[in-house]
Amino acid sequence: MKRNILCIGAGYVGGPTMAMLALKCPDRRVTVVDINAARIQAWNSGTLPIYEPGLDEVVNACRGRNLFFTTDIGHGIAEAEIIFVSVNTPTKTFGQGAGCAADLQYWEKTARLILQHATSDTIVVEKSTLPVRTAAALSRILHSGESAVRFEVLSNPEFLAEGTAIADLANPDRVLIGGADTPSGQAAVAELAELYGAWVPRERILTTSVWSSELSKLAANAMLAQRVSSINALSALCEATEANVAEVAHAIGMDARIGPKFLRAGVGFGGSCFHKDILNLVYLCETYGLTEVANYWRQVVLINDYQQARFVGGMVRAMFNTVADKRIALLGFAFKADTGDTRESPAIRIARLLVDEHARVVVSDPRALANARTDLADLGDRVIFEPDPYAAAAGADAVAFLTDWKEYRALDFPRLLHSMRRPAFLFDGRSFLDHEALFRLGFNVQAIGRTPLSHL
Ligand code: NAD
Ligand code: UGA
């Protein structure tokens, strides 16, 4: 029997994930719902609500055929036999666990909606990243009514990274499915595995207990973020010792046990998830009385904060200990290249720290300027937004690269330099430019994890 699929939450995960599912399973009807009408409208328009390379093509291939976006959540639930829950699970900002625990209000409201509208037995799939043992709470809510409808709760965390979401979804390292060790639980696991089996090789579809699956998602993000904080911690030592962090990363990455990926030093990790998921892990550890374990993971976040403060400190020091009234162009505001997403972007904190120093900050980004305006709205006219990087740099004392957009590598640097005030400073927060060449052009170059190249 071919089953109707629903996804609640049309965000960075729900939209692309369901578009890929619809593409690979043309005989399934896939509906994505959201309470945000503007977002749904955008999914139905020529301008999708998120920028993700290759996403337009996938959506255009399926939308109106077997992929639908709507705000009619109740109807969607009533029609569906498999429901993915992909709502946001941000860090709690109030009450118990504020600043650390996951805010589960959106997720719980979704559970109650499912309970209210479901008309037949349903598989409910946790796609959102959730604290371990959330599935048990979900199951309890779903079975709390009078209805005879039965629900099977699975954990199926998403591992896509923004900017490469379509490639990650088409060719995932693994698909993880956690289910209850009961006949109905295992039947539901098999059904979800069959769905993914349409395009993912069987050996890459892992099945585990629900708790292992939930924890694996938090653990994967924590381990990835930890690698970034590890190399960033070493970048500080490189600057103190005249070692070069790129050379160190290359040397250690050639050890097959360590591997070369995720060792790029920079201004720190951003994105909607690393920060919140580690804090969520920290909170979980504390809840279970594992103080030392909590402190270990908290340090990954502290190093990330330190790296941003350190970067700004280095800028101020290089520019004669004052940036007051100096024009500083921040090139790149997205938390990484190939996305317009600025959630938890290091650029937000760096911009604010520079404004605190009374710098005249100009923000530029090829995709993220609209989000940047929202993020820094409270700073009013103390920040200027300028889409053109050359206009942003004109008259500036310094340019600081905060996102490694490939178009920035191809900038006309002599033109940039020519329009700047002297001495001209270039700060490479992603260590991705050709520093020697920039120095030869006349820039004073300071990059993360490298010895500064100064004409002064
Ligand atoms: P998002 O904020 O982009 O999207 C979530 C959507 O859910 C929003 O559009 C919101 O309006 C909607 N929503 C909230 N409550 C709802 C309700 N009751 N009914 C219907 N819609 C509702 O979030 P996201 O980035 O897509 O992340 C979703 C989850 O996936 C999070 O738990 C996140 O940790 C996880 N995740 C995200 C990524 C990523 O790259 N962004 C990757 C893997 C996992
Ligand atoms: C990350 C994970 O990679 C995904 O597997 C996961 O699904 C997702 O979080 C999530 O749960 O939301 P994402 O945040 O989209 O994906 O992007 P990453 O490529 O992981 O980069 C995260 C941050 O780390 C970026 O700010 C990036 O610039 C930074 N980073 C990454 C470095 O500074 N150095 C590196 O070597 C790698």
CSV table of all heavy atoms in Angstrom, one decimal, residues 8-15 33-36 39 50 73 85-90 105-107 109-111 113 127-130 157-162 217 221 272-273 276-277 335 341 343, ligand 1:
chain,number,residue,atom,x,y,z
A,8,ILE,N,5.4,18.2,9.1
A,8,ILE,CA,5.0,19.4,9.9
A,8,ILE,C,6.3,20.2,10.1
A,8,ILE,O,7.2,19.8,10.8
A,8,ILE,CB,4.3,19.0,11.2
A,8,ILE,CG1,3.1,18.1,10.9
A,8,ILE,CG2,3.8,20.3,11.9
A,8,ILE,CD1,2.3,17.7,12.1
A,9,GLY,N,6.3,21.4,9.5
A,9,GLY,CA,7.5,22.3,9.6
A,9,GLY,C,8.2,22.4,8.3
A,9,GLY,O,8.8,21.4,7.8
A,10,ALA,N,8.0,23.5,7.6
A,10,ALA,CA,8.5,23.7,6.3
A,10,ALA,C,9.8,24.6,6.3
A,10,ALA,O,9.9,25.6,5.6
A,10,ALA,CB,7.5,24.4,5.4
A,11,GLY,N,10.8,24.2,7.2
A,11,GLY,CA,12.0,25.0,7.3
A,11,GLY,C,13.1,24.5,6.5
A,11,GLY,O,13.0,23.9,5.5
A,12,TYR,N,14.3,24.8,7.0
A,12,TYR,CA,15.6,24.4,6.3
A,12,TYR,C,15.7,22.8,6.2
A,12,TYR,O,16.3,22.3,5.3
A,12,TYR,CB,16.8,24.9,7.1
A,12,TYR,CG,17.0,26.4,6.9
A,12,TYR,CD1,16.3,27.3,7.7
A,12,TYR,CD2,17.8,26.8,5.9
A,12,TYR,CE1,16.5,28.7,7.5
A,12,TYR,CE2,18.0,28.2,5.7
A,12,TYR,CZ,17.4,29.1,6.5
A,12,TYR,OH,17.5,30.5,6.3
A,13,VAL,N,15.0,22.1,7.1
A,13,VAL,CA,15.0,20.7,7.1
A,13,VAL,C,13.8,20.1,6.4
A,13,VAL,O,13.9,19.4,5.4
A,13,VAL,CB,15.2,20.1,8.5
A,13,VAL,CG1,14.9,18.6,8.5
A,13,VAL,CG2,16.6,20.3,9.0
A,14,GLY,N,12.6,20.5,6.8
A,14,GLY,CA,11.4,20.0,6.3
A,14,GLY,C,11.3,20.2,4.8
A,14,GLY,O,10.9,19.2,4.1
A,15,GLY,N,11.6,21.4,4.3
A,15,GLY,CA,11.4,21.7,2.9
A,15,GLY,C,12.3,20.8,2.0
A,15,GLY,O,11.8,20.0,1.2
A,33,VAL,N,3.5,21.0,5.7
A,33,VAL,CA,2.6,22.1,6.3
A,33,VAL,C,3.4,22.9,7.3
A,33,VAL,O,4.4,22.5,7.8
A,33,VAL,CB,1.4,21.4,7.0
A,33,VAL,CG1,0.4,20.8,6.1
A,33,VAL,CG2,1.8,20.5,8.1
A,34,ASP,N,2.9,24.1,7.5
A,34,ASP,CA,3.5,25.0,8.4
A,34,ASP,C,2.5,26.0,8.9
A,34,ASP,O,1.6,26.4,8.2
A,34,ASP,CB,4.7,25.8,7.7
A,34,ASP,CG,5.8,26.2,8.7
A,34,ASP,OD1,5.5,27.1,9.6
A,34,ASP,OD2,6.9,25.7,8.7
A,35,ILE,N,2.7,26.5,10.1
A,35,ILE,CA,1.8,27.6,10.7
A,35,ILE,C,2.2,28.9,10.0
A,35,ILE,O,1.4,29.9,10.1
A,35,ILE,CB,1.9,27.7,12.2
A,35,ILE,CG1,3.4,27.6,12.7
A,35,ILE,CG2,1.0,26.7,12.9
A,35,ILE,CD1,3.6,27.9,14.1
A,36,ASN,N,3.4,29.0,9.5
A,36,ASN,CA,3.9,30.3,8.9
A,36,ASN,C,3.4,30.4,7.4
A,36,ASN,O,4.0,29.8,6.5
A,36,ASN,CB,5.4,30.3,9.0
A,36,ASN,CG,6.0,31.6,8.5
A,36,ASN,OD1,5.4,32.3,7.7
A,36,ASN,ND2,7.2,31.9,9.0
A,39,ARG,N,5.8,31.6,4.7
A,39,ARG,CA,6.8,30.6,4.3
A,39,ARG,C,6.2,29.6,3.3
A,39,ARG,O,6.8,29.3,2.3
A,39,ARG,CB,7.3,29.9,5.6
A,39,ARG,CG,8.7,29.6,5.5
A,39,ARG,CD,9.3,29.1,6.8
A,39,ARG,NE,10.7,29.4,6.8
A,39,ARG,CZ,11.6,28.9,7.7
A,39,ARG,NH1,11.2,28.1,8.7
A,39,ARG,NH2,12.9,29.2,7.6
A,50,ILE,N,14.2,29.6,1.3
A,50,ILE,CA,15.6,29.4,1.7
A,50,ILE,C,16.5,29.3,0.5
A,50,ILE,O,16.0,28.8,-0.6
A,50,ILE,CB,15.8,28.2,2.6
A,50,ILE,CG1,15.4,26.9,2.0
A,50,ILE,CG2,15.0,28.4,3.9
A,50,ILE,CD1,15.7,25.7,2.8
A,73,ILE,N,-3.0,22.3,8.3
A,73,ILE,CA,-2.4,21.3,9.0
A,73,ILE,C,-3.3,20.1,9.4
A,73,ILE,O,-3.0,18.9,9.3
A,73,ILE,CB,-1.7,21.9,10.3
A,73,ILE,CG1,-0.8,23.0,9.9
A,73,ILE,CG2,-1.0,20.8,11.1
A,73,ILE,CD1,-0.1,23.7,11.0
A,85,VAL,N,7.9,15.1,11.9
A,85,VAL,CA,7.9,16.3,12.7
A,85,VAL,C,9.2,17.0,12.5
A,85,VAL,O,10.2,16.5,13.0
A,85,VAL,CB,7.5,16.1,14.1
A,85,VAL,CG1,7.4,17.4,14.9
A,85,VAL,CG2,6.2,15.4,14.2
A,86,SER,N,9.2,18.2,11.9
A,86,SER,CA,10.4,18.9,11.6
A,86,SER,C,10.3,20.4,12.1
A,86,SER,O,10.8,21.3,11.4
A,86,SER,CB,10.7,18.8,10.1
A,86,SER,OG,11.9,19.4,9.9
A,87,VAL,N,9.7,20.6,13.2
A,87,VAL,CA,9.6,21.9,13.7
A,87,VAL,C,10.8,22.4,14.4
A,87,VAL,O,11.7,21.5,14.7
A,87,VAL,CB,8.3,22.1,14.7
A,87,VAL,CG1,7.0,21.7,14.0
A,87,VAL,CG2,8.5,21.2,15.9
A,88,ASN,N,10.9,23.6,14.7
A,88,ASN,CA,12.2,24.2,15.3
A,88,ASN,C,12.2,23.8,16.8
A,88,ASN,O,11.2,23.7,17.5
A,88,ASN,CB,12.3,25.7,15.2
A,88,ASN,CG,10.9,26.4,15.2
A,88,ASN,OD1,9.9,25.8,14.9
A,88,ASN,ND2,10.9,27.6,15.8
A,89,THR,N,13.4,23.6,17.3
A,89,THR,CA,13.6,23.2,18.7
A,89,THR,C,14.7,24.1,19.3
A,89,THR,O,15.8,23.6,19.6
A,89,THR,CB,14.0,21.7,18.8
A,89,THR,OG1,15.1,21.4,17.9
A,89,THR,CG2,12.9,20.8,18.5
A,90,PRO,N,14.5,25.4,19.4
A,90,PRO,CA,15.6,26.3,19.8
A,90,PRO,C,15.9,26.1,21.3
A,90,PRO,O,15.3,25.4,22.0
A,90,PRO,CB,14.9,27.7,19.5
A,90,PRO,CG,13.5,27.5,19.7
A,90,PRO,CD,13.2,26.1,19.2
A,105,GLN,N,8.2,23.8,23.1
A,105,GLN,CA,6.8,24.2,23.0
A,105,GLN,C,6.3,23.9,21.6
A,105,GLN,O,5.1,23.5,21.5
A,105,GLN,CB,6.7,25.6,23.4
A,105,GLN,CG,7.5,26.6,22.6
A,105,GLN,CD,7.1,28.1,23.0
A,105,GLN,OE1,5.9,28.4,23.0
A,105,GLN,NE2,8.1,28.9,23.3
A,106,TYR,N,7.1,24.2,20.6
A,106,TYR,CA,6.6,24.0,19.2
A,106,TYR,C,6.3,22.5,18.9
A,106,TYR,O,5.4,22.1,18.3
A,106,TYR,CB,7.6,24.5,18.2
A,106,TYR,CG,8.0,25.9,18.5
A,106,TYR,CD1,9.2,26.2,19.1
A,106,TYR,CD2,7.1,27.0,18.2
A,106,TYR,CE1,9.5,27.5,19.4
A,106,TYR,CE2,7.4,28.3,18.6
A,106,TYR,CZ,8.6,28.6,19.2
A,106,TYR,OH,8.9,29.8,19.5
A,107,TRP,N,7.3,21.7,19.4
A,107,TRP,CA,7.2,20.3,19.3
A,107,TRP,C,6.0,19.7,20.0
A,107,TRP,O,5.2,18.9,19.5
A,107,TRP,CB,8.5,19.7,19.8
A,107,TRP,CG,8.5,18.2,20.0
A,107,TRP,CD1,8.7,17.3,19.1
A,107,TRP,CD2,8.1,17.6,21.2
A,107,TRP,NE1,8.5,16.1,19.6
A,107,TRP,CE2,8.1,16.2,20.9
A,107,TRP,CE3,7.7,18.0,22.5
A,107,TRP,CZ2,7.8,15.3,21.9
A,107,TRP,CZ3,7.4,17.1,23.4
A,107,TRP,CH2,7.4,15.7,23.1
A,109,LYS,N,3.2,21.3,20.9
A,109,LYS,CA,2.0,21.8,20.2
A,109,LYS,C,1.7,20.9,19.0
A,109,LYS,O,0.5,20.5,18.7
A,109,LYS,CB,2.1,23.2,19.7
A,109,LYS,CG,1.8,24.2,20.8
A,109,LYS,CD,2.0,25.7,20.4
A,109,LYS,CE,2.0,26.6,21.6
A,109,LYS,NZ,3.0,27.6,21.5
A,110,THR,N,2.8,20.5,18.3
A,110,THR,CA,2.6,19.7,17.1
A,110,THR,C,2.0,18.3,17.5
A,110,THR,O,1.2,17.8,16.9
A,110,THR,CB,4.0,19.5,16.4
A,110,THR,OG1,4.6,20.7,16.3
A,110,THR,CG2,3.8,18.9,15.1
A,111,ALA,N,2.6,17.8,18.6
A,111,ALA,CA,2.1,16.5,19.1
A,111,ALA,C,0.6,16.5,19.4
A,111,ALA,O,-0.2,15.7,19.0
A,111,ALA,CB,2.8,16.1,20.4
A,113,LEU,N,-1.6,18.6,18.1
A,113,LEU,CA,-2.3,18.7,16.8
A,113,LEU,C,-2.5,17.4,16.1
A,113,LEU,O,-3.6,17.0,15.6
A,113,LEU,CB,-1.5,19.6,15.8
A,113,LEU,CG,-1.6,21.1,16.0
A,113,LEU,CD1,-0.7,21.8,15.1
A,113,LEU,CD2,-3.1,21.6,15.7
A,127,LYS,N,12.0,14.2,13.2
A,127,LYS,CA,13.0,14.6,12.3
A,127,LYS,C,13.8,15.7,13.0
A,127,LYS,O,15.0,15.9,12.8
A,127,LYS,CB,12.3,15.2,11.1
A,127,LYS,CG,13.0,15.1,9.7
A,127,LYS,CD,14.0,14.2,9.4
A,127,LYS,CE,14.2,13.5,8.2
A,127,LYS,NZ,15.4,12.6,8.3
A,128,SER,N,13.1,16.5,13.8
A,128,SER,CA,13.8,17.6,14.6
A,128,SER,C,14.8,16.9,15.5
A,128,SER,O,14.7,15.7,15.9
A,128,SER,CB,12.8,18.3,15.5
A,128,SER,OG,11.7,18.9,14.8
A,129,THR,N,15.8,17.7,15.9
A,129,THR,CA,16.8,17.3,16.9
A,129,THR,C,16.2,17.5,18.3
A,129,THR,O,15.8,18.6,18.6
A,129,THR,CB,18.1,18.1,16.7
A,129,THR,OG1,18.5,17.9,15.3
A,129,THR,CG2,19.2,17.6,17.6
A,130,LEU,N,16.2,16.4,19.1
A,130,LEU,CA,15.5,16.5,20.3
A,130,LEU,C,16.3,15.9,21.5
A,130,LEU,O,17.1,15.0,21.2
A,130,LEU,CB,14.1,15.7,20.2
A,130,LEU,CG,13.1,16.4,19.3
A,130,LEU,CD1,12.1,15.4,18.8
A,130,LEU,CD2,12.4,17.5,19.9
A,157,PRO,N,16.8,11.2,12.9
A,157,PRO,CA,17.4,12.6,12.8
A,157,PRO,C,18.0,12.9,11.5
A,157,PRO,O,18.3,12.0,10.7
A,157,PRO,CB,18.5,12.5,13.9
A,157,PRO,CG,18.7,11.0,14.1
A,157,PRO,CD,17.4,10.3,13.8
A,158,GLU,N,18.0,14.2,11.2
A,158,GLU,CA,18.5,14.6,9.9
A,158,GLU,C,20.0,15.1,10.1
A,158,GLU,O,20.3,15.8,11.0
A,158,GLU,CB,17.6,15.7,9.4
A,158,GLU,CG,18.0,16.2,8.0
A,158,GLU,CD,18.3,15.1,7.0
A,158,GLU,OE1,17.3,14.3,6.8
A,158,GLU,OE2,19.4,14.9,6.5
A,159,PHE,N,20.8,14.7,9.1
A,159,PHE,CA,22.3,15.0,9.2
A,159,PHE,C,22.7,16.0,8.1
A,159,PHE,O,23.9,16.2,8.0
A,159,PHE,CB,23.1,13.8,9.2
A,159,PHE,CG,22.9,12.9,10.4
A,159,PHE,CD1,22.1,11.8,10.3
A,159,PHE,CD2,23.5,13.2,11.6
A,159,PHE,CE1,21.9,10.9,11.4
A,159,PHE,CE2,23.4,12.4,12.7
A,159,PHE,CZ,22.5,11.2,12.6
A,160,LEU,N,21.8,16.5,7.3
A,160,LEU,CA,22.2,17.4,6.2
A,160,LEU,C,22.9,18.6,6.8
A,160,LEU,O,22.6,19.1,7.9
A,160,LEU,CB,21.0,17.8,5.4
A,160,LEU,CG,19.9,18.7,5.9
A,160,LEU,CD1,20.3,20.2,5.9
A,160,LEU,CD2,18.6,18.6,5.2
A,161,ALA,N,23.8,19.2,6.0
A,161,ALA,CA,24.4,20.5,6.3
A,161,ALA,C,23.9,21.5,5.3
A,161,ALA,O,23.7,21.2,4.1
A,161,ALA,CB,25.9,20.4,6.3
A,162,GLU,N,23.7,22.7,5.8
A,162,GLU,CA,23.2,23.8,4.9
A,162,GLU,C,24.3,24.1,3.9
A,162,GLU,O,25.5,24.0,4.1
A,162,GLU,CB,22.8,25.0,5.7
A,162,GLU,CG,21.5,24.7,6.5
A,162,GLU,CD,21.1,25.9,7.3
A,162,GLU,OE1,21.3,27.0,7.0
A,162,GLU,OE2,20.5,25.6,8.4
A,217,LYS,N,22.3,11.9,17.3
A,217,LYS,CA,22.2,13.2,16.6
A,217,LYS,C,22.9,14.2,17.4
A,217,LYS,O,23.8,15.0,16.9
A,217,LYS,CB,20.8,13.5,16.3
A,217,LYS,CG,20.5,14.9,15.8
A,217,LYS,CD,21.2,15.1,14.4
A,217,LYS,CE,21.3,16.6,14.0
A,217,LYS,NZ,21.9,16.8,12.8
A,221,ASN,N,26.7,16.2,16.3
A,221,ASN,CA,26.9,17.6,16.2
A,221,ASN,C,27.9,18.0,17.2
A,221,ASN,O,28.8,18.9,17.0
A,221,ASN,CB,25.6,18.4,16.4
A,221,ASN,CG,24.8,18.5,15.1
A,221,ASN,OD1,25.3,18.1,14.1
A,221,ASN,ND2,23.7,19.1,15.1
A,272,SER,N,22.3,27.2,13.1
A,272,SER,CA,21.2,27.1,14.1
A,272,SER,C,21.4,25.9,15.1
A,272,SER,O,20.7,25.9,16.1
A,272,SER,CB,19.9,26.9,13.3
A,272,SER,OG,19.9,25.6,12.7
A,273,CYS,N,22.3,25.0,14.8
A,273,CYS,CA,22.3,23.8,15.6
A,273,CYS,C,23.4,23.5,16.5
A,273,CYS,O,23.2,23.0,17.6
A,273,CYS,CB,22.1,22.6,14.6
A,273,CYS,SG,20.4,22.7,13.8
A,276,LYS,N,23.1,25.2,20.0
A,276,LYS,CA,21.9,24.7,20.7
A,276,LYS,C,22.0,23.3,21.1
A,276,LYS,O,21.6,22.8,22.2
A,276,LYS,CB,20.6,25.1,20.0
A,276,LYS,CG,20.1,24.0,19.0
A,276,LYS,CD,18.7,24.3,18.5
A,276,LYS,CE,18.4,23.5,17.3
A,276,LYS,NZ,18.4,22.0,17.5
A,277,ASP,N,22.6,22.5,20.2
A,277,ASP,CA,22.6,21.0,20.4
A,277,ASP,C,23.6,20.7,21.5
A,277,ASP,O,23.4,19.8,22.3
A,277,ASP,CB,22.9,20.2,19.1
A,277,ASP,CG,21.7,20.3,18.2
A,277,ASP,OD1,20.6,20.8,18.6
A,277,ASP,OD2,21.8,19.9,17.0
A,335,PHE,N,26.5,32.2,8.1
A,335,PHE,CA,27.3,31.4,9.1
A,335,PHE,C,28.3,30.5,8.3
A,335,PHE,O,29.2,30.0,8.9
A,335,PHE,CB,26.4,30.6,10.1
A,335,PHE,CG,25.9,29.3,9.6
A,335,PHE,CD1,26.5,28.1,9.8
A,335,PHE,CD2,24.7,29.3,8.9
A,335,PHE,CE1,26.0,26.9,9.4
A,335,PHE,CE2,24.1,28.1,8.4
A,335,PHE,CZ,24.8,26.9,8.7
A,341,ASP,N,21.5,31.7,5.5
A,341,ASP,CA,21.2,31.6,6.9
A,341,ASP,C,22.2,32.3,7.7
A,341,ASP,O,23.4,32.1,7.5
A,341,ASP,CB,21.1,30.1,7.2
A,341,ASP,CG,20.4,29.8,8.5
A,341,ASP,OD1,20.1,30.7,9.3
A,341,ASP,OD2,20.2,28.6,8.8
A,343,ARG,N,21.7,32.3,11.3
A,343,ARG,CA,21.4,32.0,12.7
A,343,ARG,C,22.7,31.6,13.4
A,343,ARG,O,23.5,30.8,12.9
A,343,ARG,CB,20.4,30.8,12.7
A,343,ARG,CG,19.0,31.2,12.3
A,343,ARG,CD,18.0,30.1,12.3
A,343,ARG,NE,18.3,29.1,11.2
A,343,ARG,CZ,17.6,27.9,11.1
A,343,ARG,NH1,16.6,27.7,11.9
A,343,ARG,NH2,17.9,27.1,10.1
B,1,NAD,P1,13.2,26.2,10.9
B,1,NAD,O1,13.0,27.2,12.0
B,1,NAD,O2,13.8,26.6,9.6
B,1,NAD,O3,11.8,25.5,10.5
B,1,NAD,C1,10.9,25.0,11.5
B,1,NAD,C2,9.5,25.3,11.0
B,1,NAD,O4,8.5,24.7,11.8
B,1,NAD,C3,9.2,26.8,10.9
B,1,NAD,O5,8.8,27.2,9.6
B,1,NAD,C4,8.0,26.9,11.9
B,1,NAD,O6,7.0,27.9,11.5
B,1,NAD,C5,7.4,25.5,11.8
B,1,NAD,N1,6.5,25.2,13.0
B,1,NAD,C6,6.8,25.5,14.3
B,1,NAD,N2,5.7,25.0,15.0
B,1,NAD,C7,4.8,24.5,14.2
B,1,NAD,C8,3.5,23.9,14.3
B,1,NAD,N3,3.0,23.7,15.5
B,1,NAD,N4,2.9,23.5,13.2
B,1,NAD,C9,3.4,23.6,12.0
B,1,NAD,N5,4.6,24.2,11.8
B,1,NAD,C10,5.3,24.6,12.9
B,1,NAD,O7,14.0,25.0,11.5
B,1,NAD,P2,15.0,24.0,10.8
B,1,NAD,O8,16.3,24.6,10.6
B,1,NAD,O9,14.3,23.4,9.6
B,1,NAD,O10,15.2,22.9,11.9
B,1,NAD,C11,14.1,22.0,12.3
B,1,NAD,C12,14.7,20.9,13.2
B,1,NAD,O11,15.7,20.2,12.5
B,1,NAD,C13,15.4,21.4,14.4
B,1,NAD,O12,15.2,20.6,15.5
B,1,NAD,C14,16.9,21.4,14.0
B,1,NAD,O13,17.7,21.2,15.2
B,1,NAD,C15,16.9,20.2,13.2
B,1,NAD,N6,18.0,20.2,12.1
B,1,NAD,C16,18.3,21.3,11.4
B,1,NAD,C17,19.3,21.3,10.4
B,1,NAD,C18,19.6,22.5,9.6
B,1,NAD,O14,20.6,22.4,8.8
B,1,NAD,N7,18.9,23.6,9.7
B,1,NAD,C19,19.9,20.1,10.1
B,1,NAD,C20,19.6,18.9,10.9
B,1,NAD,C21,18.6,19.0,11.9
